[in-house]
mmCIF file of all heavy atoms in Angstrom:
data_model
loop_
_atom_site.group_PDB
_atom_site.id
_atom_site.type_symbol
_atom_site.label_atom_id
_atom_site.label_comp_id
_atom_site.label_asym_id
_atom_site.label_seq_id
_atom_site.Cartn_x
_atom_site.Cartn_y
_atom_site.Cartn_z
ATOM 1 N N ARG A 277 183.729 0.580 -41.640
ATOM 2 C CA ARG A 277 184.619 0.023 -42.770
ATOM 3 C C ARG A 277 184.373 0.767 -44.054
ATOM 4 O O ARG A 277 184.598 1.959 -44.167
ATOM 5 C CB ARG A 277 184.532 -1.462 -42.895
ATOM 6 C CG ARG A 277 184.999 -2.222 -41.600
ATOM 7 C CD ARG A 277 185.180 -3.656 -41.797
ATOM 8 N NE ARG A 277 185.944 -4.219 -40.661
ATOM 9 C CZ ARG A 277 186.014 -5.505 -40.320
ATOM 10 N NH1 ARG A 277 185.353 -6.341 -41.087
ATOM 11 N NH2 ARG A 277 186.734 -5.842 -39.388
ATOM 12 N N THR A 278 183.995 -0.005 -45.062
ATOM 13 C CA THR A 278 184.013 0.605 -46.392
ATOM 14 C C THR A 278 182.976 1.698 -46.571
ATOM 15 O O THR A 278 181.788 1.476 -46.239
ATOM 16 C CB THR A 278 183.681 -0.560 -47.412
ATOM 17 O OG1 THR A 278 184.446 -1.659 -47.186
ATOM 18 C CG2 THR A 278 183.746 -0.103 -48.862
ATOM 19 N N VAL A 279 183.284 2.896 -47.057
ATOM 20 C CA VAL A 279 182.367 3.884 -47.553
ATOM 21 C C VAL A 279 182.854 4.254 -49.018
ATOM 22 O O VAL A 279 184.027 4.311 -49.314
ATOM 23 C CB VAL A 279 182.393 5.172 -46.651
ATOM 24 C CG1 VAL A 279 181.612 4.813 -45.471
ATOM 25 C CG2 VAL A 279 183.679 5.716 -46.293
ATOM 26 N N PHE A 280 181.811 4.611 -49.767
ATOM 27 C CA PHE A 280 182.199 5.087 -51.138
ATOM 28 C C PHE A 280 181.146 5.990 -51.703
ATOM 29 O O PHE A 280 180.036 6.109 -51.229
ATOM 30 C CB PHE A 280 182.373 3.822 -52.098
ATOM 31 C CG PHE A 280 181.124 3.132 -52.422
ATOM 32 C CD1 PHE A 280 180.416 3.371 -53.589
ATOM 33 C CD2 PHE A 280 180.528 2.147 -51.533
ATOM 34 C CE1 PHE A 280 179.290 2.627 -53.841
ATOM 35 C CE2 PHE A 280 179.337 1.501 -51.792
ATOM 36 C CZ PHE A 280 178.667 1.752 -52.970
ATOM 37 N N GLU A 281 181.543 6.799 -52.661
ATOM 38 C CA GLU A 281 180.653 7.654 -53.394
ATOM 39 C C GLU A 281 180.934 7.590 -54.877
ATOM 40 O O GLU A 281 181.994 7.372 -55.349
ATOM 41 C CB GLU A 281 180.880 9.077 -52.919
ATOM 42 C CG GLU A 281 179.866 9.482 -51.931
ATOM 43 C CD GLU A 281 179.887 10.935 -51.333
ATOM 44 O OE1 GLU A 281 180.432 11.723 -52.052
ATOM 45 O OE2 GLU A 281 179.311 10.997 -50.229
ATOM 46 N N VAL A 282 179.870 7.809 -55.678
ATOM 47 C CA VAL A 282 180.046 8.031 -57.054
ATOM 48 C C VAL A 282 179.926 9.533 -57.337
ATOM 49 O O VAL A 282 178.780 10.178 -57.133
ATOM 50 C CB VAL A 282 178.922 7.250 -57.771
ATOM 51 C CG1 VAL A 282 179.021 7.301 -59.316
ATOM 52 C CG2 VAL A 282 178.765 5.809 -57.412
ATOM 53 N N GLN A 283 181.023 10.055 -57.770
ATOM 54 C CA GLN A 283 181.024 11.587 -57.870
ATOM 55 C C GLN A 283 181.145 12.028 -59.308
ATOM 56 O O GLN A 283 181.838 11.314 -60.142
ATOM 57 C CB GLN A 283 182.150 12.089 -57.075
ATOM 58 C CG GLN A 283 182.045 11.978 -55.605
ATOM 59 C CD GLN A 283 183.113 12.464 -54.786
ATOM 60 O OE1 GLN A 283 184.158 12.950 -55.285
ATOM 61 N NE2 GLN A 283 182.987 12.343 -53.455
ATOM 62 N N PRO A 284 180.381 13.036 -59.751
ATOM 63 C CA PRO A 284 180.490 13.354 -61.158
ATOM 64 C C PRO A 284 181.947 14.033 -61.292
ATOM 65 O O PRO A 284 182.500 14.569 -60.396
ATOM 66 C CB PRO A 284 179.396 14.494 -61.245
ATOM 67 C CG PRO A 284 179.087 14.958 -59.998
ATOM 68 C CD PRO A 284 179.436 13.812 -59.025
ATOM 69 N N GLN A 285 182.459 13.879 -62.501
ATOM 70 C CA GLN A 285 183.947 14.427 -62.710
ATOM 71 C C GLN A 285 183.864 15.958 -62.600
ATOM 72 O O GLN A 285 184.837 16.526 -62.149
ATOM 73 C CB GLN A 285 184.541 13.890 -63.927
ATOM 74 C CG GLN A 285 185.018 12.546 -63.713
ATOM 75 C CD GLN A 285 185.408 11.693 -64.954
ATOM 76 O OE1 GLN A 285 185.364 12.286 -66.025
ATOM 77 N NE2 GLN A 285 185.682 10.411 -64.797
ATOM 78 N N GLU A 286 182.894 16.668 -63.089
ATOM 79 C CA GLU A 286 182.635 18.068 -62.850
ATOM 80 C C GLU A 286 181.583 18.163 -61.720
ATOM 81 O O GLU A 286 180.662 17.457 -61.796
ATOM 82 C CB GLU A 286 182.093 18.746 -64.043
ATOM 83 C CG GLU A 286 182.776 18.562 -65.363
ATOM 84 C CD GLU A 286 182.172 17.469 -66.202
ATOM 85 O OE1 GLU A 286 180.959 17.218 -66.124
ATOM 86 O OE2 GLU A 286 182.905 16.738 -66.927
ATOM 87 N N GLY A 287 181.884 19.073 -60.835
ATOM 88 C CA GLY A 287 180.764 19.269 -59.894
ATOM 89 C C GLY A 287 181.162 19.015 -58.425
ATOM 90 O O GLY A 287 180.530 19.572 -57.428
ATOM 91 N N GLY A 288 182.146 18.114 -58.216
ATOM 92 C CA GLY A 288 182.664 18.044 -56.839
ATOM 93 C C GLY A 288 181.697 17.205 -56.046
ATOM 94 O O GLY A 288 180.612 16.677 -56.353
ATOM 95 N N SER A 289 182.169 16.922 -54.738
ATOM 96 C CA SER A 289 181.500 15.983 -53.898
ATOM 97 C C SER A 289 180.085 16.470 -53.252
ATOM 98 O O SER A 289 179.339 15.658 -52.861
ATOM 99 C CB SER A 289 182.468 15.685 -52.715
ATOM 100 O OG SER A 289 182.688 16.879 -52.001
ATOM 101 N N GLN A 290 179.934 17.807 -53.405
ATOM 102 C CA GLN A 290 178.580 18.301 -52.928
ATOM 103 C C GLN A 290 177.437 17.791 -53.742
ATOM 104 O O GLN A 290 176.323 17.790 -53.301
ATOM 105 C CB GLN A 290 178.547 19.774 -53.139
ATOM 106 C CG GLN A 290 179.594 20.593 -52.255
ATOM 107 C CD GLN A 290 179.302 20.237 -50.719
ATOM 108 O OE1 GLN A 290 178.252 20.278 -50.256
ATOM 109 N NE2 GLN A 290 180.392 19.902 -50.046
#
Side-chain angles (χ1 to χ4, degrees):
R277 296 191 166 166
T278 312
V279 285
F280 70 98
E281 258 180 23
V282 183
Q283 294 178 357
Q285 276 164 12
E286 309 91 31
S289 58
Q290 296 298 314

